């Protein structure tokens, strides 16, 4: 027992490790919620968000005359240290929990209070000198501090997500330039369509992902509206006049984000619409990434019995029974990440819908799902970039031969010989195995010079006049 200290709360006394900066309410959460195995300490930006909120709250309380100068500066110093990365191991609460985030809010309150006590030369747990509730949580409730901290965490995490997205876009765009002269068949419904270049295909990957940068940033901008000063349900009980606006101003100054106070705090307290919209942007990105990975797996299929138009970097042996087999493991793992992201979006939807009356108590699973998705997508895009895209090579001759022997190039004849005659040529080519080129010459439908001009794949890569 000498390695523990006793702390008490509403439910009585509890042993807390002597060296822990957290306190009794955090210890209860550790004991009660062994759910996901993913702890608050796994999400450093969320912890920084909590520190930002507590520092802004302390600054506001000091400016309104509710907190003495010495205690304010010590609280601010403790919060700054947490933002710098210290004490993150002192946040051991499971991300999924009951209580609408109370355990996470109290974890932050207790850690900051005990850091301050140490700076004051006091022992951990001597809360009469700095209290988690009376000082760190002053003019706040879990119901405004917790969702605001989530938003501060997500604003930071979105920056990292967009950086990873821009990086993978640049990689696809570089491949688009590298492959700009590699002619290949385009396909619709997995059937030959018309020629294109491999460069156009990879540039399209870049272009479709580029659209999602603005979607993510625009949707993340909804997080700048916060409900600090709402306290329990939005009425502002126990917060002084002017607290909400001043706290938002201080939070903006501390974080660098354009934070504003919600115009209706009663509405803002249970509202989770911003999470739903941001999650939908991640789902959209996941759908696109998964589609691209499907394409990479198809284009690299083979090597003898598939398309084999590109080579993916070999990452590991593909089979315990089939010698020489190498599988597209990187696109496969990204596909699976995308499925997880799409599933988590449904969790966000249900959690948002489950809000009742003046509070949504499902914010823990909602915030966990979104933050997990951001981490998954960041890791997946880094992996796809580093271990796949930058090492892709083209099988130029394979691509060209498919164009030469494709029935699809008959589409180019439509404006010259009509749809009906083009269809007959295509049908005969399929039945006889002859090329479209030879059949047109045999039937003397067009001169060789004209046919060569029409069927030159380079002439079919962009609009042109007849």
């Amino acid at each position: 027992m000498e390695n523990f200290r006793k702390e008490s709360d509403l439910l009585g006394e509890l042993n807390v490790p002597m060296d822990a900066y957290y306190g009794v309410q955090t210890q209860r959460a550790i004991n009660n919620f062994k759910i996901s195995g993913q702890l608050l300490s796994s999400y450093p930006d969320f912890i920084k968000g909590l520190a930002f909120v507590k520092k802004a709250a302390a600054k506001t309380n000091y400016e309104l005359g509710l907190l003495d100068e010495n205690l304010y500066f010590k609280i601010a110093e403790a919060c700054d240290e947490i933002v710098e990365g210290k004490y993150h191991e002192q946040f051991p609460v499971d991300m999924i929990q009951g209580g609408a985030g109370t355990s996470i809010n109290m974890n932050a309150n207790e850690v900051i209070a005990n850091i301050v006590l140490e700076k004051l030369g006091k022992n951990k747990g001597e809360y009469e000198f700095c209290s988690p509730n009376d000082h760190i949580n002053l003019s706040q409730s879990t119901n405004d501090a917790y969702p605001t901290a989530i938003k501060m965490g997500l604003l930071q995490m979105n920056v990292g997500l967009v950086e990873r997205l821009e990086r993978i876009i640049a990689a696809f765009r570089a491949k688009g330039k590298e492959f700009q002269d590699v002619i290949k068949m385009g396909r619709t419904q997995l059937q030959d369509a018309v020629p294109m270049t491999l460069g156009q295909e990879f540039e399209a990957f870049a272009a479709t992902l580029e659209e999602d940068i603005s979607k993510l940033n625009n949707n993340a901008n909804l997080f700048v509206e916060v409900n600090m000063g709402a306290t329990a349900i939005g009425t502002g009980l126990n917060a002084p006049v002017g607290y909400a606006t001043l706290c938002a101003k201080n939070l903006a100054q501390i974080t660098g984000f354009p934070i504003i106070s919600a115009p209706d705090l009663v509405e803002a307290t249970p509202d989770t619409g911003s999470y739903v919209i941001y999650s939908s942007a991640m789902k959209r990105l996941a759908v696109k990434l998964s589609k691209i990975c499907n394409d990479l797996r198809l284009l690299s299929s083979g090597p003898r019995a598939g398309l084999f138009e590109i080579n993916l970097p070999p990452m590991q042996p593909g089979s315990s029974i089939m010698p020489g087999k190498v599988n597209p493991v990187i696109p496969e793992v990204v596909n699976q990440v995308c499925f997880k992201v799409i599933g988590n979006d449904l969790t966000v939807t249900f959690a948002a819908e489950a809000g009742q009356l003046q509070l949504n108590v499902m914010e823990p699973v909602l915030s966990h799902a979104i933050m997990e998705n951001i981490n998954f997508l960041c890791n997946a895009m880094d992996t796809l970039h580093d271990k796949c895209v930058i090492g892709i090579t083209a099988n130029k001759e394979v691509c060209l031969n498919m164009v030469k022997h494709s029935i699809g190039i008959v589409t180019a004849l439509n404006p010259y010989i009509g749809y009906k005659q083009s269809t007959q040529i295509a049908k005969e080519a399929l039945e006889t195995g002859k090329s479209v080129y030879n059949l047109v010459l045999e039937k003397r439908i067009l001169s060789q010079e004209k046919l060569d001009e029409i069927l030159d794949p380079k002439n079919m890569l962009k609009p042109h006049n007849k």
Side-chain angles (χ1 to χ4, degrees):
M1 297 303 296
E2 62 189 24
N3 294 322
F4 292 88
R5 67 179 187 267
K6 282 190 180 295
E7 290 195 15
S8 61
D9 60 7
L10 171 68
L11 302 182
E13 289 188 336
L14 197 66
N15 288 327
V16 177
M18 187 65 74
D19 61 351
Y21 285 87
Y22 57 79
V24 59
Q25 292 207 42
T26 302
Q27 187 61 55
R28 290 198 189 281
I30 294 170
N31 297 344
N32 290 337
F33 305 123
K34 300 182 187 299
I35 305 298
S36 70
Q38 292 194 34
L39 308 182
L40 178 54
S41 56
S42 301
Y43 293 90
D45 285 325
F46 190 6
I47 296 174
K48 292 177 185 178
L50 287 160
F52 286 144
V53 167
K54 297 303 174 180
K55 181 178 180 179
K59 188 173 191 291
T60 305
N61 286 320
Y62 166 66
E63 291 172 344
L64 293 173
L66 301 179
L67 199 62
D68 73 69
E69 185 177 67
N70 183 50
L71 203 52
Y72 159 58
F73 282 121
K74 290 291 189 291
I75 292 172
E77 186 180 342
C79 291
D80 287 341
E81 290 176 354
I82 292 172
V83 170
E84 291 167 3
K86 296 181 180 180
Y87 305 106
H88 284 205
E89 76 284 353
Q90 297 297 317
F91 293 84
V93 179
D94 198 293
M95 285 288 287
I96 300 180
Q97 57 191 251
T102 296
S103 296
I104 284 179
N105 184 42
M106 286 308 301
N107 191 171
N109 290 335
E110 290 171 347
V111 169
I112 294 168
N114 279 308
I115 296 171
V116 171
L117 288 172
E118 196 172 71
K119 292 179 181 298
L120 293 172
K122 307 298 182 181
N123 295 320
K124 295 182 183 72
E126 292 187 315
Y127 295 135
E128 64 269 26
F129 301 103
C130 183
S131 165
N133 296 89
D134 296 336
H135 298 117
I136 311 303
N137 202 60
L138 181 62
S139 305
Q140 305 154 64
S141 162
T142 291
N143 301 348
D144 57 1
Y146 176 66
T148 301
I150 292 172
K151 291 178 178 180
M152 296 308 99
L154 292 176
L155 283 167
Q156 295 172 87
M157 294 179 79
N158 179 68
V159 173
L161 178 60
V162 169
E163 287 174 352
R164 268 42 173 264
L165 179 54
E166 289 173 337
R167 188 166 175 256
I168 194 72
I169 289 168
F172 279 121
R173 186 145 285 145
K175 287 296 170 182
K177 292 179 180 177
E178 181 183 340
F179 301 149
Q180 62 184 349
D181 295 324
V182 180
I183 295 171
K184 57 157 286 176
M185 280 304 297
R187 298 174 181 85
T188 58
Q189 295 163 281
L190 298 181
Q191 307 297 305
D192 296 354
V194 296
M196 64 185 302
T197 68
L198 192 61
Q200 288 175 316
E201 193 161 26
F202 274 75
E203 172 59 32
F205 293 156
T208 191
L209 292 176
E210 196 165 41
E211 297 171 356
D212 289 87
I213 294 174
S214 61
K215 296 296 181 185
L216 289 167
N217 285 334
N218 289 342
N219 291 0
N221 283 340
L222 297 174
F223 296 141
V224 303
E225 185 179 288
V226 302
N227 72 326
M228 289 298 289
T231 65
I233 63 170
T235 60
L237 180 67
N238 293 346
V241 174
Y243 179 91
T245 302
L246 182 56
C247 191
K249 179 183 177 182
N250 286 332
L251 194 54
Q253 184 267 322
I254 290 167
T255 64
F257 294 111
I259 308 302
I260 58 172
S261 181
D264 186 329
L265 295 178
V266 173
E267 181 277 334
T269 300
D271 178 48
T272 52
S274 59
Y275 304 124
V276 174
I277 292 175
Y278 185 75
S279 181
S280 71
M282 285 194 294
K283 180 178 73 172
R284 171 183 154 128
L285 172 58
V287 169
K288 290 185 176 185
L289 277 173
S290 193
K291 186 270 182 193
I292 289 169
C293 287
N294 290 341
D295 287 356
L296 294 178
R297 290 191 292 120
L298 282 171
L299 293 174
S300 65
S301 61
R304 299 292 175 83
L307 299 183
F308 198 49
E309 292 184 349
I310 63 173
N311 304 296
L312 305 183
M315 286 293 109
Q316 61 190 62
S319 174
S320 60
I321 190 175
M322 293 173 278
K325 194 169 189 286
V326 179
N327 294 329
V329 295
I330 303 303
E332 286 174 357
V333 76
V334 176
N335 281 130
Q336 292 172 76
V337 166
C338 293
F339 304 156
K340 178 69 172 174
V341 170
I342 293 166
N344 275 349
D345 176 70
L346 184 59
T347 297
V348 171
T349 302
F350 277 124
E353 185 277 335
Q356 297 168 330
L357 304 177
Q358 279 69 60
L359 183 66
N360 188 320
V361 303
M362 306 302 175
E363 281 185 317
V365 72
L366 185 155
S367 60
H368 175 252
I370 294 177
M371 291 182 183
E372 183 179 60
N373 276 356
I374 294 175
N375 281 352
F376 274 10
L377 285 170
C378 285
N379 292 338
M381 286 191 287
D382 279 347
T383 301
L384 186 63
H385 177 279
D386 297 344
K387 298 184 181 298
C388 184
V389 177
I390 62 175
I392 292 174
T393 58
N395 293 320
K396 190 171 183 178
E397 290 303 316
V398 172
C399 293
L400 182 59
N401 285 334
M402 285 191 182
V403 173
K404 289 179 177 178
H405 294 91
S406 171
I407 306 300
I409 60 173
V410 77
T411 303
L413 298 177
N414 275 351
Y416 302 93
I417 65 175
Y419 184 87
K420 183 175 181 180
Q421 196 166 27
S422 296
T423 301
Q424 291 172 346
I425 293 293
K427 181 179 179 182
E428 189 172 344
L430 281 170
E431 291 173 347
T432 64
K434 294 181 179 181
S435 71
V436 169
Y437 183 91
N438 288 336
L439 284 172
V440 172
L441 290 180
E442 284 179 13
K443 297 178 182 296
R444 298 182 179 180
I445 298 173
L446 293 169
S447 68
Q448 185 172 355
E449 182 181 6
K450 185 64 174 178
L451 185 59
D452 286 342
E453 179 187 345
I454 296 170
L455 295 185
D456 184 343
K458 291 181 180 178
N459 291 335
M460 291 188 276
L461 299 178
K462 57 186 177 181
H464 60 86
N465 295 321
K466 185 174 176 180

